[in-house]
Amino acid sequence: MGRTSVTILLAGLLFPRASLGQGNGTTPTDKPEASGAETTLSLDDLGSPQEFSPTSDEAKLELTRSWTDNARASLDLSSRATLPTRLGKVGTAHVIGFDFHKVFSDSSGDWGTLRLQPYLTRLDNQGSRPPFFEDDDDWELTFRFFDFNFTRVGRGRLNFRVGHFEIPFGLEYLIDTNGTVHQFIPGPNIGLKADWGVSINGVLPHFEYEVSLTRGTGNEIFHRGGPFAIAGRIGTPHHRNFVLGLSAFHGRVWSPGSVGKWRSGLRPPTRAEAAAGLTDVAGGRGRDGIIRRTRFGVDVQWYRGKVGLLAEASYGRDYNQDVFNGLAEVNWNNADDRWFAYAQARTFTQRFAGGWASATQSVVGMRYRSNTHWSFSAQYVQDIDTLFDSAHDAILTFQTRYRF
């Protein structure tokens, strides 16, 4: 819980007597002009320390204003209940988060954007969970965005990002699903949703891009096993009705679940190997939960009125096994964005020693926002095909979320 104390301390430092807006946008506000008048001090003045207190107070006020101008902050609370039919018991997830967004500006314009999103997360009875949770019932301090993007160079055409941010790959890069039931497939596909590292990114008239070098360990930072990840995406402007993107990914990723799936698809040892005591044909690969992974992907979005059609497909390898993963979605939202509904088809295909095997799921979900603070979501996931003919599952999820 030491990390939680650090987060609370950070929030206190960021908001000394400050009052911030809760809107979704970042509306610039006028900054007070700094006084350029010079003050001449006499020897008597130097002997009176109280003469300096107004200047000190003004400096503190200016420091406070520099943090609150062009800034917004909110507290994010959510509770989720998940009922998988195969396990037959309810799993829960409770989240308490702090969301801070700040755009730094001066007389020349904007020069940087800071995002801080630490979240304290509690999981109970979760059979499927991120690897940094130590067991099925655990508290962890997690990070969503926790980064700074320096935008001074090139007027937004060449920016430099550092911190914890989403991997530039696929649909998730453009559509933020953090904290929502509605999700895409970055976890099963590349093994990471966000990671610690650096990137270069920019927006040009006809395309947008980002290329990143990250640690390859997700929420945690460690060097065991030599993890790393290199990723990049280039695409047409994300605000258009038709968006097309190309992505690439390569690295050694900490993903124990993916290592387990890869191992289960290896060929069994031959009689000679078994007689020699060689029963593990992995050749030492996959130690420390690290898997070598490569992906090349394409994503597309097309919007017609209030209806959206989305798709993502990627091909690559997990060590020596070929992999193809894909998703297709149709969604709809009403005029005031209170209602949002979607349906998805997901497929995960891998060529093991015995040939190709696939897992396929259908997903339907909805979200209702009663106002700017409350939202309520529900989702149903049904297995159609499973790897190695394992038991099929159906998962029903409900979530309540409050932001203020």
Side-chain angles (χ1 to χ4, degrees):
M1 294 299 293
R3 290 176 291 183
T4 305
S5 301
V6 173
T7 303
I8 296 173
L9 177 60
L10 177 60
L13 291 174
L14 290 175
F15 299 100
R17 298 172 293 174
S19 176
L20 302 180
Q22 297 177 3
N24 292 329
T26 56
T27 304
T29 57
D30 294 334
K31 292 186 177 182
E33 294 183 1
S35 174
E38 297 181 357
T39 302
T40 302
L41 299 178
S42 67
L43 292 177
D44 292 337
D45 293 330
L46 294 176
S48 304
Q50 64 271 18
E51 294 295 326
F52 292 90
S53 59
T55 305
S56 177
D57 290 342
E58 290 175 3
K60 292 179 181 178
L61 180 60
E62 183 64 25
L63 178 61
T64 299
R65 287 175 176 170
S66 70
W67 275 101
T68 58
D69 285 349
N70 299 337
R72 59 179 171 84
S74 63
L75 198 61
D76 191 350
L77 310 175
S78 67
S79 291
R80 180 181 302 184
T82 303
L83 178 60
T85 58
R86 190 168 60 181
L87 294 179
K89 61 180 181 180
V90 177
T92 59
H94 306 288
V95 177
I96 304 172
F98 170 71
D99 187 346
F100 176 74
H101 182 280
K102 160 74 176 173
V103 177
F104 293 91
S105 304
D106 57 21
S107 59
S108 300
D110 298 343
W111 59 268
T113 301
L114 177 68
R115 297 180 294 184
L116 304 177
Q117 295 180 340
Y119 279 70
L120 186 61
T121 304
R122 169 71 185 189
L123 299 184
D124 290 286
N125 298 326
Q126 293 289 339
S128 177
R129 53 182 170 78
F132 53 85
F133 283 87
E134 296 179 359
D135 52 51
D136 294 343
D137 307 296
D138 190 21
W139 285 99
E140 284 291 340
L141 179 63
T142 62
F143 299 93
R144 295 177 183 175
F145 290 104
F146 208 86
D147 67 328
F148 179 76
N149 198 29
F150 180 70
T151 59
R152 173 73 79 188
V153 179
R155 297 182 179 180
R157 291 177 172 84
L158 178 63
N159 309 319
F160 301 90
R161 191 190 310 277
V162 61
H164 192 262
F165 51 88
E166 289 191 341
I167 299 294
F169 191 99
L171 291 171
E172 177 64 31
Y173 174 70
L174 297 181
I175 303 174
D176 181 13
T177 63
N178 283 307
T180 69
V181 175
H182 176 229
Q183 296 289 314
F184 298 113
I185 58 171
N189 188 25
I190 61 176
L192 296 169
K193 186 170 183 177
D195 201 11
W196 297 96
V198 296
S199 83
I200 58 173
N201 60 89
V203 178
L204 287 88
H206 301 294
F207 66 91
E208 305 170 350
Y209 73 93
E210 183 156 12
V211 179
S212 66
L213 173 62
T214 59
R215 180 71 274 181
T217 54
N219 193 68
E220 305 289 334
I221 302 178
F222 60 84
H223 311 291
R224 183 182 66 255
F228 73 93
I230 301 172
R233 183 188 180 276
I234 184 171
T236 57
H238 70 277
H239 60 273
R240 296 181 179 175
N241 289 333
F242 180 81
V243 183
L244 177 66
L246 300 174
S247 303
F249 178 91
H250 177 72
R252 291 173 49 82
V253 180
W254 182 45
S255 181
S258 298
V259 171
K261 183 171 70 171
W262 170 76
R263 284 181 176 272
S264 64
L266 295 175
R267 64 171 178 81
T270 64
R271 290 184 178 181
E273 290 171 336
L278 180 61
T279 57
D280 184 359
V281 295
R285 292 174 293 184
R287 289 178 296 187
D288 299 319
I290 304 294
I291 189 165
R292 190 182 68 208
R293 173 167 282 170
T294 302
R295 296 287 189 274
F296 299 97
V298 58
D299 60 85
V300 61
Q301 302 175 60
W302 181 69
Y303 296 94
R304 182 82 173 182
K306 296 299 181 180
V307 176
L309 298 176
L310 291 70
E312 175 180 345
S314 64
Y315 173 81
R317 307 194 90 185
D318 286 356
Y319 283 118
N320 58 337
Q321 296 174 357
D322 294 324
V323 178
F324 174 83
N325 295 324
L327 173 145
E329 173 180 309
V330 56
N331 60 48
W332 167 88
N333 63 293
N334 70 335
D336 60 5
D337 201 31
R338 286 179 178 267
W339 290 94
F340 174 74
Y342 57 94
Q344 292 179 347
R346 305 172 182 171
T347 183
F348 309 99
T349 308
Q350 198 154 337
R351 187 170 66 179
F352 299 117
W356 287 94
S358 64
T360 307
Q361 295 177 324
S362 62
V363 182
V364 292
M366 58 78 63
R367 183 205 66 225
Y368 172 68
R369 289 177 176 167
S370 58
N371 51 44
T372 57
H373 302 292
W374 287 97
S375 65
F376 306 90
S377 303
Q379 179 178 267
Y380 179 75
V381 181
Q382 175 66 61
D383 287 338
I384 306 301
D385 294 311
T386 58
L387 294 175
F388 313 117
D389 295 324
S390 59
H392 289 205
D393 200 2
I395 303 174
L396 185 61
T397 304
F398 298 96
Q399 177 175 284
T400 300
R401 189 178 188 184
Y402 184 76
R403 289 176 62 88
F404 64 94

